[in-house]
């Protein structure tokens, strides 16, 4: 049976932060309702989900106002009643094998053993993760990990299903598979759904209600999808807030590609995630040029991220050659994986699929300054010239004193991109750069990257975002199985 939700003047502020992450929420969700939760990046959507899951902590870990309950109980006292799938699946995977991971939550809820494994098998089938139960969780791609995290929650059969950007890193076919899997589970169990997703069109036809959080606190809009998305006054407010409203596309600059010299050349390249692991992609022939954009496309698990990390000099090639040409190497040698970190940061910048994997400092400002201080050798004027405009444009200036790990998913992504842009590398490699962005921050990110391309930077993006690829005028490198091809 589905859980009920009640919020009365509820809010939460992280420790050391002047601004409330979310506040003044008055909300009632009935058992079995299916709700799409929208709002600008940083409006508090993830914080509300974490509050409902009972994982925000006590007063030592933040400040709460008002009241938030599930079935009339404090969410922290109702764990097991709700199941949360986080934005970053890596943060909730705990066991080494796929089957054990899916069984873990049900085991902790004391589900009888003879019920657990049928639930595991059904949950994996529901999300379309077709790997053996003993398959290592560390060998999964980012998109496969998202499916695994969802399967683990579905196997618990919670009365409240909380999904935070569950399809953000999935290929287009996978998006529909996972959405339809969620709907099947809801039909079967009658569970209540609250799902956060920037791309409204994915969920608009399968939810009963849309709730939009206001960045300044409270609820901006609440009603059926037709009312919220089609009523002109409401629609205009949503567009202004950065909500991805169907039929509206944010304005982006025309990208003028002015291809320059060759920088990096791959010939018959093969790549692997681990030194002794299997080859995941073979026969790659590719040249990265100054002032050009390239999008790496393909299904989840095809090797896109592994290729990106290899091009970035962070993984040793399994076979073939990867050569830095003279305009890029500048005396550092032809093999990027052999470069020292100081040599790498000024030549190739990498934005990982999981932003937390690249954070090194305790504040947003220190994170932004880290690369430039190494490149500019602590020249303060140069550091300020690189950091301050980027922080302003990507809406990070109000977060400079915050710990990077306390940011929302969209803010973390913008920080990871900004920190690499501030280092001004010759090649910028981004893995899912638009993850978690509202329409306004998406457009600003596109504009910044367009300027980088015009300045001669080579921008390589692993992405499922076709709008992003089109906006940058990217060539595409399509990966599928062991084959790959480039198109203009």
């Amino acid at each position: 049976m589905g859980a009920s939700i009640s919020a009365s003047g509820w809010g939460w502020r992280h420790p050391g932060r002047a601004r409330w992450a979310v506040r003044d929420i008055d909300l009632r969700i009935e058992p079995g309702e299916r709700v799409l939760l929208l709002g600008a990046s940083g409006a508090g959507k993830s914080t509300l989900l974490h509050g409902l899951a009972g994982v925000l902590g006590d007063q030592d870990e933040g400040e709460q106002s008002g009241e938030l309950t599930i079935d009339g109980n404090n969410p922290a006292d109702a764990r097991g009643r709700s199941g949360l799938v986080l934005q970053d699946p890596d943060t909730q995977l705990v066991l080494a094998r796929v089957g054990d991971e899916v069984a873990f939550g049900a085991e902790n809820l004391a589900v009888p053993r003879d019920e657990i494994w049928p639930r595991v098998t059904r949950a994996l089938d529901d999300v379309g993760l077709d790997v053996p139960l003993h398959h290592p969780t560390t060998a999964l791609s980012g998109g496969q990990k998202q499916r695994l995290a969802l399967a683990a929650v579905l196997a618990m059969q919670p009365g409240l299903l909380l999904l935070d950007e569950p399809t953000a890193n999935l290929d287009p076919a996978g998006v529909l598979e996972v959405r339809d899997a969620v709907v099947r589970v809801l039909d079967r169990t009658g569970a209540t759904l609250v799902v956060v997703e920037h791309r409204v069109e994915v969920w608009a036809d399968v939810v009963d209600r849309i709730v939009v959080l206001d960045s300044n606190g409270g609820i901006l809009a609440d009603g059926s999808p037709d009312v919220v998305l089609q009523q002109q006054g409401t629609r205009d407010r949503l567009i202004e807030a950065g909500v991805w409203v169907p039929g509206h596309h944010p304005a982006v600059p025309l990208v003028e590609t002015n291809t320059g010299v060759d920088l990096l050349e791959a010939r018959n390249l093969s790549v692997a995630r681990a030194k002794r692991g299997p080859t995941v992609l073979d026969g790659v022939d590719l040249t990265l040029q100054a002032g050009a954009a390239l999008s790496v496309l393909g299904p989840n698990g095809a090797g896109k991220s592994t290729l990106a990390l290899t091009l970035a000099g962070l993984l040793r090639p399994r076979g073939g050659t990867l050569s830095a040409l003279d305009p890029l190497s500048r005396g550092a040698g032809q093999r990027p994986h052999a470069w020292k970190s100081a040599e790498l940061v000024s030549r190739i910048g990498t934005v990982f699929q999981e932003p937390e994997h690249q954070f090194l400092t305790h504040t947003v400002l220190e994170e932004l300054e880290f690369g430039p201080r190494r490149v500019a050798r602590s020249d303060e004027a140069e550091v300020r010239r690189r950091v301050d405009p980027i922080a302003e444009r990507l809406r990070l200036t109000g977060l400079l004193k915050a710990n990077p790990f306390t940011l929302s998913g969209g803010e973390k992504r913008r920080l990871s991109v900004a920190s690499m842009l501030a280092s001004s590398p010759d090649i910028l490699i981004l893995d899912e750069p638009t993850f978690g962005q509202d329409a306004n921050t998406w457009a600003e990110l596109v504009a910044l990257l367009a300027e980088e391309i015009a300045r001669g930077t080579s921008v390589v993006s692993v992405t499922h975002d076709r709008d992003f690829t089109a906006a940058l005028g990217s060539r595409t490198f399509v990966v599928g199985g062991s084959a790959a091809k480039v198109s203009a």
Side-chain angles (χ1 to χ4, degrees):
M1 179 178 175
S4 64
I5 294 170
S6 178
S8 178
W10 185 78
W12 180 267
R13 178 163 58 186
H14 295 290
R17 301 277 283 274
R19 185 176 182 273
W20 288 76
V22 60
R23 68 182 310 170
D24 299 329
I25 300 299
D26 293 306
L27 185 64
R28 174 75 186 181
I29 297 176
E30 300 297 333
E33 271 197 288
R34 303 174 185 184
V35 177
L36 174 60
L37 186 63
L38 301 177
S41 178
K45 303 181 296 297
S46 296
T47 302
L48 177 55
L49 290 195
H50 291 175
L52 289 169
V55 297
L56 280 176
D58 56 26
Q59 60 184 6
D60 294 329
E61 299 175 77
E63 180 182 352
Q64 178 174 287
S65 65
E67 185 179 51
L68 183 67
T69 63
I70 298 176
D71 294 334
N73 302 308
N74 186 323
D77 299 326
R79 290 178 183 171
R81 187 69 174 131
S82 63
L84 170 65
V85 178
L86 299 170
Q87 280 183 332
D88 178 6
D90 268 328
T91 61
Q92 71 184 92
L93 300 184
V94 294
L95 296 177
R97 297 184 299 186
V98 165
D100 295 337
E101 181 65 34
V102 179
F104 182 71
E107 289 173 341
N108 278 275
L109 294 176
V111 174
R113 184 180 180 85
D114 60 354
E115 292 183 25
I116 289 177
W117 291 101
R119 288 193 188 189
V120 169
T121 301
R122 183 167 62 186
L124 288 170
D125 287 343
D126 277 339
V127 302
L129 184 56
D130 186 17
V131 297
L133 294 180
H134 63 269
H135 190 81
T137 55
T138 54
L140 298 175
S141 71
Q144 289 171 321
K145 287 177 181 176
Q146 274 190 301
R147 292 174 187 255
L148 176 60
L150 178 58
V153 168
L154 295 181
M156 296 165 58
Q157 296 185 358
L160 172 60
L161 188 57
L162 305 168
L163 306 180
D164 200 350
E165 301 271 6
T167 66
N169 290 333
L170 298 180
D171 56 65
V175 168
L176 299 180
E177 287 176 9
V178 166
R179 183 204 63 188
D180 292 346
V182 170
V183 171
R184 287 195 299 272
V185 170
L186 297 175
D187 289 342
R188 186 169 68 236
T189 65
T192 305
L193 171 70
V194 180
V195 56
V196 170
E197 190 80 70
H198 279 287
R199 299 287 182 161
V200 177
E201 66 274 10
V202 175
W203 295 93
D205 292 338
V206 298
V207 297
D208 310 309
R209 180 177 170 193
I210 292 178
V211 174
V212 186
L213 299 188
D214 192 321
S215 295
N216 297 315
I219 304 293
L220 181 65
D222 183 357
S224 69
D226 286 344
V227 170
V228 171
L229 297 177
Q230 300 303 329
Q231 216 170 49
Q232 192 56 48
T234 303
R235 181 181 174 87
D236 292 343
R237 285 190 298 161
L238 297 185
I239 291 172
E240 183 180 357
V243 173
W244 285 96
V245 175
H248 172 78
H249 297 281
V252 294
L254 177 64
V255 179
E256 296 184 7
T257 300
N258 186 19
T259 304
V261 297
D262 293 349
L263 299 174
L264 189 66
E265 185 177 77
R267 291 294 176 262
N268 198 32
L269 180 69
S270 59
V271 301
R273 295 188 182 96
K275 185 175 181 180
R276 292 182 175 84
T279 297
V280 297
L281 195 60
D282 244 335
V284 174
D285 291 313
L286 185 62
T287 301
L288 302 186
Q289 299 167 315
L294 176 74
S295 285
V296 181
L297 312 177
N300 292 118
K304 302 184 301 297
S305 294
T306 306
L307 174 60
L309 291 172
T310 306
L311 294 174
L314 300 175
L315 290 177
R316 180 190 292 268
R318 169 57 58 83
T321 62
L322 179 66
S323 302
L325 305 179
D326 289 344
L328 177 66
S329 67
R330 300 193 298 277
Q334 290 189 315
R335 300 183 301 162
H337 72 271
W339 290 346
K340 298 176 181 178
S341 59
E343 294 172 329
L344 191 62
V345 72
S346 63
R347 292 168 173 80
I348 305 177
T350 306
V351 173
F352 296 121
Q353 190 174 75
E354 297 83 11
E356 291 92 340
H357 289 185
Q358 70 188 74
F359 294 157
L360 300 169
T361 67
H362 299 293
T363 70
V364 168
L365 180 60
E366 290 172 333
E367 198 67 38
L368 290 169
E369 292 178 343
F370 185 83
R373 290 200 183 282
R374 301 197 73 181
V375 174
R377 300 187 183 278
S378 298
D379 182 325
E380 191 63 29
E382 178 65 11
V383 170
R384 297 271 62 79
R385 185 188 68 79
R386 293 185 183 206
V387 167
D388 294 347
I390 293 173
E392 177 73 26
R393 292 184 62 178
L394 290 182
R395 305 186 186 188
L396 297 170
T397 51
L399 301 166
L400 295 179
K401 295 181 180 179
N403 187 306
F405 293 93
T406 68
L407 303 182
S408 74
E411 290 165 345
K412 288 176 183 176
R413 170 52 76 215
R414 295 203 301 281
L415 175 57
S416 64
V417 173
S419 63
M420 288 298 105
L421 285 172
S423 298
S424 300
D426 300 276
I427 298 175
L428 183 60
I429 295 179
L430 311 105
D431 200 339
E432 299 292 354
T434 60
F435 166 72
Q437 300 311 304
D438 62 41
N440 294 336
T441 55
W442 180 93
E444 195 61 64
L445 182 59
V446 169
L448 267 173
L449 293 175
E451 291 169 15
E452 287 297 312
I453 293 166
R455 279 197 288 266
T457 304
S458 177
V459 174
V460 180
S461 306
V462 173
T463 184
H464 296 300
D465 187 343
R466 294 281 184 168
D467 291 334
F468 175 78
T469 295
L472 286 184
S474 301
R475 291 182 305 150
T476 60
F477 187 73
V478 182
V479 176
S482 61
K485 62 180 180 178
V486 182
S487 65

